[in-house]
C-alpha cells in the first residue's frame, strides 16, 4: 500500500501562528486533516524579536494541530516574510563550450550559481531565485531551454533577498520546538498558490496579502512572477490607531475593528454609537462609528497607496505590462468591511477578495476557506509539491494502554512490522520523481534544498 503524503505548513505571522496538516484526496484537492492556531508572541512585522515566546507559540500551534488531526508532526514548510525582504531584477548569461550538445540541467545550474555570486548588502542573503524568460543565442521568450541547442544561454531572474539573521532565527525557533525545517517559501508566493488561478497569472494580477504586521505584494504577468514587495504595515497599525484615537485598550480596539469597522466612512450615520465598558468601574465610553470608520479609512488608504506605488514601480501603466485581472486581496485584513470598494476607488483596478477554497476539498471547514488561512493553505500545497512525508499517524488507537503494548509480544511484533512497511516507501518518495518537472520548479526546489541544508548546518554548528 502506498504511504499517504502528509504535508505540513507553518505560517509564522505577527498576530497568529498557524500549523496546518493536509493531504491530497483522490480528486487532487487538498484535504485539511487538522489546524492549530496560537497567538503570535515574539514576532513583530514578520520578524522574530523574542525567541522564547515564539518557540512557545509554535509549540502550542503544533500541539493543537496534532490533537485535531491524530498525526505526529515531524517537519514543516515555513513561510518567510517581514520588512527585511526586498526583490531585484537581474539578467545573466553563460557561454557554452560545446553548442552542438543539447542544453541540460547542468547548464541551468551553472547559470543559477552565477546569480548567487551577486554582491548583496552586508547581512543579506539570496533566498529565492525565480527564472523569468530564457534566451538562447538571441532567441527570446524561451520557456523551457532544456533539450534545445545553443551556444549562449541567457535568462532574466527575479531575485528575492532577505536578512540572513532573521531567517536563521526562524530556523532556530523551529528546531527548538522539536521539529525539522523541510522548506522555505516566500509568503506572498504561498498565498498566490492558494488563491490565484493560472488564468489570472497569465492575464496579469497583483496579489495583496494584508497581514497583521506586514502587507505582502506579488505581481504576476504571462504566468511568471514579475515583482514582489513587503510593506511594513498591516492590520496592527489600524488597531493601534483605533486604540489611540478612541483612548481604549488594544483588545477593545481589535474587537471594534472586526465587529463594527469599515474602510468606507460614508455609510455610517452620526447617531450610530457603540458603548464600551469602562476600566475598573469607570463610566462606559461611547464611540461614534463614523469616527471609527474615519480612523480606519485613513490608515487603509495609506497602506493601499504604498502598495499601489509598488505596482506603478513594476510598470503597470505600460500597455505590455498591464494587469488585466486587476487586484486580488487576501489575508486577515481583506475581511475588513468595504475594503474591496476602497481599493477599486484608489487604484481604478478590478478587485476581488481571494479565498483559498478553490484548492480545498468540498467537505472542508468553512473557517479554513477564510482569507486568513490563505498563506497556511499555500504552504501545505508547497509541502505536497516537495513530496515530503511531514507527519505520521499516531498509534494511540492501536495500543491505548502502554502496559499491554509491551506485555503482549504478538501485538508488539505486529506493530513493528507495520512500522517497517510504513517507513520504507518514504525513502522512495524522496528519491524517485513521479513526473517530469518544469525547469522553473527544478530551480526553485534544488535551490531551496541547498538553502535549507545551509540553515541546518549553520544551526548545528552554532550549538
Amino acid at each position: 500500500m502506498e504511504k499517504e503524503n502528509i504535508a505540513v505548513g507553518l505560517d509564522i505571522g505577527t498576530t497568529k501562528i498557524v500549523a496546518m496538516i493536509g493531504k491530497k484526496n483522490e480528486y487532487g484537492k487538498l484535504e485539511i486533516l487538522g489546524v492549530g492556531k496560537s497567538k503570535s508572541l515574539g514576532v513583530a512585522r514578520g520578524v522574530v524579536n523574542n525567541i522564547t515566546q515564539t518557540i512557545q507559540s509554535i509549540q502550542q500551534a503544533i500541539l493543537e494541530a496534532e490533537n485535531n488531526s491524530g498525526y505526529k508532526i515531524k517537519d514543516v514548510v515555513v513561510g518567510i516574510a517581514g520588512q527585511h525582504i526586498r526583490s531585484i531584477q537581474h539578467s545573466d548569461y553563460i557561454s557554452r563550450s560545446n553548442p552542438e550538445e543539447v542544453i541540460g540541467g547542468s547548464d541551468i545550474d551553472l547559470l543559477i550559481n552565477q546569480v548567487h555570486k551577486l554582491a548583496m548588502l552586508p547581512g543579506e542573503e539570496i533566498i529565492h531565485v525565480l527564472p523569468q524568460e530564457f534566451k538562447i543565442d538571441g532567441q527570446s521568450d524561451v520557456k523551457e531551454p532544456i533539450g534545445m541547442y545553443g551556444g549562449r544561454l541567457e535568462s532574466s531572474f527575479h531575485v528575492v533577498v532577505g536578512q540572513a539573521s532573521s531567517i536563521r532565527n526562524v530556523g532556530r525557533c523551529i528546531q527548538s520546538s522539536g521539529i525539522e525545517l523541510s522548506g522555505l517559501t516566500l509568503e506572498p508566493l504561498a498565498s498566490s498558490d492558494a488563491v490565484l488561478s493560472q488564468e489570472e497569472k497569465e492575464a496579469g494580477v497583483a496579489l495583496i496579502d494584508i497581514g497583521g504586521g506586514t502587507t505582502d505584494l506579488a505581481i504576476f504577468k504571462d504566468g511568471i512572477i514579475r515583482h514582489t514587495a513587503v510593506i511594513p504595515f498591516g492590520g496592527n497599525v489600524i488597531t493601534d490607531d483605533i486604540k489611540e484615537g478612541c483612548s481604549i485598550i488594544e483588545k477593545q480596539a481589535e474587537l471594534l475593528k472586526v465587529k463594527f469597522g469599515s474602510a468606507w466612512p460614508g455609510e455610517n450615520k452620526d447617531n450610530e454609537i457603540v458603548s464600551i465598558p469602562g476600566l475598573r468601574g469607570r463610566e462606559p465610553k461611547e464611540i461614534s462609528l463614523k469616527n471609527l470608520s474615519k480612523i480606519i479609512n485613513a490608515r487603509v488608504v495609506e497602506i493601499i497607496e504604498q502598495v499601489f506605488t509598488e505596482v506603478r514601480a513594476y510598470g503597470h501603466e505600460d500597455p505590455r505590462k498591464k494587469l488585466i485581472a486587476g487586484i486580488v486581496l487576501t489575508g486577515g485584513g481583506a475581511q475588513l468591511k468595504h475594503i474591496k470598494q476602497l481599493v477599486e476607488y484608489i487604484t481604478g483596478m478590478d478587485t476581488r477578495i481571494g479565498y483559498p477554497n478553490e484548492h480545498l476539498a468540498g467537505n472542508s471547514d468553512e473557517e479554513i476557506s477564510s482569507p486568513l488561512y490563505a498563506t497556511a493553505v499555500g504552504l501545505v500545497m508547497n509541502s505536497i509539491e516537495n513530496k515530503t512525508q511531514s507527519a505520521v499517524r499516531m498509534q494511540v488507537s492501536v495500543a491505548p494502554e502502554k502496559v499491554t503494548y509491551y506485555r503482549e509480544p504478538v501485538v508488539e511484533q505486529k506493530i513493528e512490522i507495520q512500522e517497517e512497511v510504513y517507513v520504507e516507501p518514504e525513502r522512495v518518495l524522496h528519491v524517485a520523481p513521479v513526473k517530469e518537472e518544469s525547469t522553473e520548479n527544478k530551480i526553485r526546489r534544488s535551490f531551496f534544498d541547498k538553502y535549507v541544508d545551509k540553515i541546518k548546518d549553520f544551526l548545528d554548528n552554532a550549538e
Side-chain angles (χ1 to χ4, degrees), residues 133 202-204 220-222 226 314-324:
E133 289 102 353
E202 289 287 344
F220 292 84
K221 179 74 176 176
D222 300 326
R226 299 294 183 181
Y314 148 76
H316 165 62
E317 272 87 5
D318 185 339
R320 290 170 301 172
K321 294 184 174 182
K322 190 171 176 62
L323 303 177
I324 297 164

Side-chain angles (χ1 to χ4, degrees), residues 250-309:
E250 191 174 340
K251 194 176 177 182
Q252 292 172 336
E254 182 65 28
L255 271 172
L256 263 183
K257 180 182 78 174
V258 172
K259 286 197 168 185
F260 302 103
S262 168
W264 199 265
E267 67 159 4
N268 295 116
K269 296 182 178 70
D270 291 326
N271 61 354
E272 285 182 296
I273 285 168
V274 176
S275 183
I276 292 199
L279 297 173
R280 299 281 289 182
R282 293 177 177 83
E283 288 292 310
K285 194 178 282 281
E286 291 189 338
I287 290 162
S288 159
L289 288 188
K290 191 153 197 169
N291 285 341
L292 176 68
S293 56
K294 277 180 180 174
I295 292 167
I296 293 170
N297 173 266
R299 182 58 86 175
V300 173
V301 166
E302 187 185 345
I303 292 169
I304 298 305
E305 281 180 344
Q306 284 208 38
V307 174
F308 196 48
T309 302

Side-chain angles (χ1 to χ4, degrees), residues 108-158:
I108 305 289
D109 289 341
L110 194 61
L111 186 54
I112 296 293
N113 289 336
Q114 281 195 186
V115 179
H116 289 295
K117 292 172 186 170
L118 277 176
M120 293 291 122
L121 294 173
E124 282 189 335
E125 274 186 15
I126 294 171
I127 55 172
H128 259 296
V129 177
L130 303 167
Q132 300 195 314
E133 289 102 353
F134 288 92
K135 273 187 186 178
I136 299 172
D137 293 344
Q139 179 192 338
S140 57
D141 295 336
V142 176
K143 292 281 174 75
E144 184 60 83
I146 291 178
M148 298 180 74
Y149 291 96
R152 177 184 164 113
L153 177 64
E154 191 177 345
S155 179
S156 55
F157 291 96
H158 182 76

Side-chain angles (χ1 to χ4, degrees), residues 1-301:
M1 191 180 92
E2 192 182 329
K3 194 174 175 184
E4 290 178 308
N5 177 207
I6 308 299
V8 183
L10 185 69
D11 176 15
I12 303 175
T14 305
T15 51
K16 68 181 188 322
I17 290 176
V18 177
M20 191 176 278
I21 305 174
K23 66 173 182 177
K24 266 196 177 175
N25 65 11
E26 64 267 35
Y27 306 109
K29 295 289 186 181
L30 186 62
E31 187 182 326
I32 302 301
L33 302 170
V35 179
K37 187 176 162 190
S38 66
K39 187 172 173 57
S40 182
L41 303 170
V43 181
R45 291 185 174 170
V47 178
V48 174
N49 62 6
N50 187 317
I51 294 277
T52 310
Q53 286 184 329
T54 306
I55 291 167
Q56 287 170 353
S57 297
I58 290 172
Q59 286 174 332
Q60 192 180 331
I62 292 287
L63 188 64
E64 190 182 320
E66 288 179 338
N67 290 340
N68 287 344
S69 65
Y71 283 82
K72 178 74 179 166
I73 293 174
K74 297 191 301 178
D75 55 61
V76 293
V77 169
V78 181
I80 292 292
Q83 60 191 44
H84 61 96
I85 300 290
R86 68 185 183 95
S87 63
I88 52 174
Q89 294 296 121
H90 177 71
S91 292
D92 220 321
Y93 73 94
I94 56 164
S95 295
R96 301 180 66 237
S97 55
N98 187 0
E100 301 305 314
E101 281 185 8
V102 293
I103 294 167
S106 57
D107 296 304
I108 305 289
D109 289 341
L110 194 61
L111 186 54
I112 296 293
N113 289 336
Q114 281 195 186
V115 179
H116 289 295
K117 292 172 186 170
L118 277 176
M120 293 291 122
L121 294 173
E124 282 189 335
E125 274 186 15
I126 294 171
I127 55 172
H128 259 296
V129 177
L130 303 167
Q132 300 195 314
E133 289 102 353
F134 288 92
K135 273 187 186 178
I136 299 172
D137 293 344
Q139 179 192 338
S140 57
D141 295 336
V142 176
K143 292 281 174 75
E144 184 60 83
I146 291 178
M148 298 180 74
Y149 291 96
R152 177 184 164 113
L153 177 64
E154 191 177 345
S155 179
S156 55
F157 291 96
H158 182 76
V159 184
V160 181
V161 181
Q163 284 289 340
S165 56
S166 297
I167 298 159
R168 284 169 184 162
N169 285 338
V170 170
R172 164 63 68 201
C173 291
I174 288 159
Q175 199 178 56
S176 302
S177 301
I179 48 177
E180 289 296 317
L181 178 65
S182 67
L184 288 164
T185 300
L186 191 66
E187 289 202 350
L189 290 180
S191 302
S192 67
D193 286 342
V195 303
L196 296 182
S197 68
Q198 190 56 39
E199 288 83 1
E200 285 176 316
K201 290 181 181 180
E202 289 287 344
V205 66
L207 177 80
I208 302 174
D209 186 342
I210 307 170
T214 60
T215 298
D216 304 333
L217 171 70
I219 295 176
F220 292 84
K221 179 74 176 176
D222 300 326
I224 298 167
I225 182 89
R226 299 294 183 181
H227 188 73
T228 51
V230 178
I231 313 295
F233 299 110
N236 280 4
V237 289
I238 301 170
T239 306
D240 287 343
D241 283 2
I242 297 168
K243 184 179 80 172
E244 298 299 328
C246 300
S247 301
I248 53 177
I249 61 171
E250 191 174 340
K251 194 176 177 182
Q252 292 172 336
E254 182 65 28
L255 271 172
L256 263 183
K257 180 182 78 174
V258 172
K259 286 197 168 185
F260 302 103
S262 168
W264 199 265
E267 67 159 4
N268 295 116
K269 296 182 178 70
D270 291 326
N271 61 354
E272 285 182 296
I273 285 168
V274 176
S275 183
I276 292 199
L279 297 173
R280 299 281 289 182
R282 293 177 177 83
E283 288 292 310
K285 194 178 282 281
E286 291 189 338
I287 290 162
S288 159
L289 288 188
K290 191 153 197 169
N291 285 341
L292 176 68
S293 56
K294 277 180 180 174
I295 292 167
I296 293 170
N297 173 266
R299 182 58 86 175
V300 173
V301 166

